[in-house]
Amino acid sequence: MTVAGGVVLLGLGPGEARLLTHEAWEWLRSIQELYVRTDQHPVVQELPAGVQVHSFDWLYRQGQSFDAVYTAIVEKVIELAHRPQGVTYAVPGHPLVAEATGPEILRRAQAEGLPIRVIEGLSFLEPTFTALGLDPFPRLVLLDALELGTWHVPSFPPDAPVLIAQIYDRMSASEVKLTLNAFYPDEHPVTLVHAAGTKQQQIEHLRLYEIDRSPHLGLMSALYVPPLGEATSMEAFLEIVAHLRAPDGCPWDRQQTHKSLRSHLLEEAYEVLAAIDADDPQALQEELGDLLLQVALHAQIASEEGEFNFTDVVRGIHHKIVRRHPHVFGTLKVEGVEGVLRNWERLKQAEREANGQEERSLLAGVPLALPALTQAQELQDRAARVGFDWPEIAPVWEKVREELQEVLTAPDERAREKELGDLLFAVVNLARWYKVDAESALRATNQRFRQRFAHIEQRAREMGRVLGEMTLAEMDALWEEAKHNEKGVEPEE
């Protein structure tokens, strides 16, 4: 029996002829010619006598990328489909499950009006679920190792179980492991299933760090990764926040608005900075969580009011990052950080023009709510991107001296206030030239002042003295003592 042109897509099942469907076996008995994606499949050796088999394995051996191989296979199958007798093309498992060529051949055949028939096969999934004793519902994630191995972080919620197909060699296993390590610890328990549903089936229970050491990896290997645990995904966190705002949630959270949360957002941002200044990773982890809560609350409030939702926030920043980094995600070549910043400004201006926005000042995007030192440094940075800057540091120092002299010679308080502002602005520019963040530097100095003054207070109590009754010289001696203690050096007698 033949077809008058067209394609028959046939699934060979997971690995043995006994697992072929009755429909597939009857069709294989009726044809004289069969094209297979690979002959590295046990069923190929058990096909009915008289079937001439053509394999595309020669394309793999040319060393091309998988995408190039799959594209070449699709083109050849569609070409053969235009013959009067058409073509039967068979793949391991199910022709539309974890199979790159099958869905594209189906799409192409439909687009070109070619007759198309799909003879289903048992996929690798069912025998893998049996081997694991696993019901995939309701949340199992299915992934391809070839895709996962190209990512820097997993793009699925780690509180869901995941099954990863095509862990076909140690290299692919290593690449998958490195991606998973972004979320999962080395010791996370996982299971490798090899040749599921066949007499060669093997199951390995091991730790994540061991998967690329397995001697059994091959074309029929899959990796099962159990959930990392509760409260480990962004989705679960957003559900918690939505619950807080729900009718049966927290009365305080339900009352909040964008404006009522302003002070909390600012406070949490400053606490993040404090943790960074203290070089305290544990505190930083906690404070980043508090800041993330503020972001999620604002997104939830906006969603309730029909403004936008968290997905819109993520989509917007995703596209913006990709759009503004053509030197990373595109083909643009830039020279160093300065080249990146100059191109950044050009891209932002192009975006404003595309959105029909009026041309505005280069400095207009610097928020007025920023702390004064941060705002000053950002203003100077932006002006410098278009060349409004000293060519070297000597004039910067000269400007500081000039502004200091003008403070000293100011005729009245009003003029002195202005000149002090100019002096501070000049000092911020000096910090910028030395690649120092002025805000962070002053915050660190403030913290040192707190610690040293606390030392003076503590020592005064130990001495039975009242701080306000001590002389400046006595307090200054304790100040110097605090400075020496910071360096781990005993003060001189």
Side-chain angles (χ1 to χ4, degrees), residues 398-427:
E398 185 57 36
K399 189 64 176 176
V400 171
R401 298 186 186 97
E402 176 188 324
E403 298 298 348
L404 178 59
Q405 185 61 34
E406 291 182 1
V407 171
L408 295 171
T409 59
D412 53 44
E413 290 185 3
R414 185 174 180 179
R416 189 175 299 111
E417 178 182 352
K418 172 183 174 299
E419 299 302 343
L420 280 169
D422 291 345
L423 175 60
L424 289 172
F425 196 83
V427 171

Side-chain angles (χ1 to χ4, degrees), residues 74-112:
V74 170
E75 293 297 333
K76 183 61 178 178
V77 171
I78 294 297
E79 177 188 329
L80 294 168
H82 284 280
R83 302 180 305 175
Q85 71 271 33
V87 63
T88 297
Y89 172 65
V91 298
H94 189 289
L96 301 179
V97 176
E99 173 58 48
T101 60
E104 181 61 13
I105 290 171
L106 176 63
R107 187 193 68 80
R108 286 281 300 277
Q110 291 173 336
E112 297 183 25

Side-chain angles (χ1 to χ4, degrees), residues 88 116 130-132 153 191 203 210 280 304 307 364 368 437 485:
T88 297
I116 181 76
T130 300
L132 293 168
V153 297
T191 303
I203 300 175
E210 299 174 305
D280 187 340
E304 294 165 9
E307 299 168 340
L368 295 175
D437 179 71
N485 289 347

Side-chain angles (χ1 to χ4, degrees), residues 131 135-136 178 199 236 263 400 413 493:
D135 180 356
L178 289 175
K199 295 182 178 64
S263 61
V400 171
E413 290 185 3
E493 297 296 334

Side-chain angles (χ1 to χ4, degrees), residues 10-18 20 25 28 34-57 89-93 220:
L10 186 144
L12 293 173
E16 292 182 353
R18 65 184 177 86
L20 277 169
W25 184 251
L28 289 170
L34 176 69
Y35 283 80
V36 296
R37 179 167 61 77
T38 176
D39 59 17
Q40 303 300 306
H41 190 274
V43 169
V44 175
Q45 312 308 318
E46 302 181 58
L47 292 173
V51 178
Q52 184 179 7
V53 178
H54 306 282
S55 167
F56 287 108
D57 282 308
Y89 172 65
V91 298
M220 299 174 66

